[in-house]
Amino acid sequence: MKRQVSYQWRLREVMAAHGMFNATDLAQPLADRSITLSSVQIWRLVTQSPERLSLPVLAALCDIFDCTPADLIATRAEDARPRRTASGESRGPVTDLAAIRPKRARIRPQE
């Protein structure tokens, strides 16, 4: 069975718990740890769920907030629903068309 995996980026919640409410508040603590990001990159990091995240940035965030990666990234895995197929399960049994097809008519010459 396949598993559906998802995650929730919780940086904003962790920042709020530490009294940081603006993305700009994160610029200096990151710079103190030799992480150079533009203001737009920091804003995206705070407001959006990143598709990719470098380990140095993750380590710096964990150091800034004295937390673990699990505090920043909440993960969830659940069984994926089985896909419906075009088999007889969703529309009933398959009908044999040869059994219901009419016989071909033969035209005979008149005698």
Side-chain angles (χ1 to χ4, degrees):
M1 177 160 288
K2 291 189 176 186
R3 304 273 290 167
Q4 181 72 33
V5 179
S6 62
Y7 69 95
Q8 180 183 11
W9 183 237
R10 301 185 60 220
L11 177 59
R12 199 164 215 173
E13 296 170 36
V14 173
M15 285 177 62
H18 286 83
M20 291 183 169
F21 299 101
N22 295 317
T24 56
D25 296 341
L26 198 55
Q28 190 56 48
L30 285 171
D32 292 343
R33 287 156 181 86
S34 301
I35 303 294
T36 307
L37 297 175
S38 69
S39 60
V40 173
Q41 289 173 319
I42 294 172
W43 180 80
R44 286 182 184 158
L45 186 66
V46 172
T47 60
Q48 300 173 2
S49 293
E51 289 291 321
R52 293 179 298 270
L53 182 65
S54 71
L55 290 178
V57 171
L58 181 61
L61 291 172
C62 289
D63 183 53
I64 292 167
F65 298 113
D66 192 30
C67 65
T68 65
D71 296 327
L72 292 170
I73 306 166
T75 60
R76 181 178 48 207
E78 56 193 19
D79 292 335
R81 288 195 215 171
R83 295 178 61 181
R84 294 185 83 185
T85 61
S87 68
E89 296 172 2
S90 60
R91 294 187 181 168
V94 176
T95 305
D96 181 20
L97 294 179
I100 62 171
R101 186 170 284 152
K103 291 197 174 215
R104 187 175 214 159
R106 290 188 193 174
I107 301 177
R108 297 184 188 175
Q110 287 186 351
E111 296 176 18

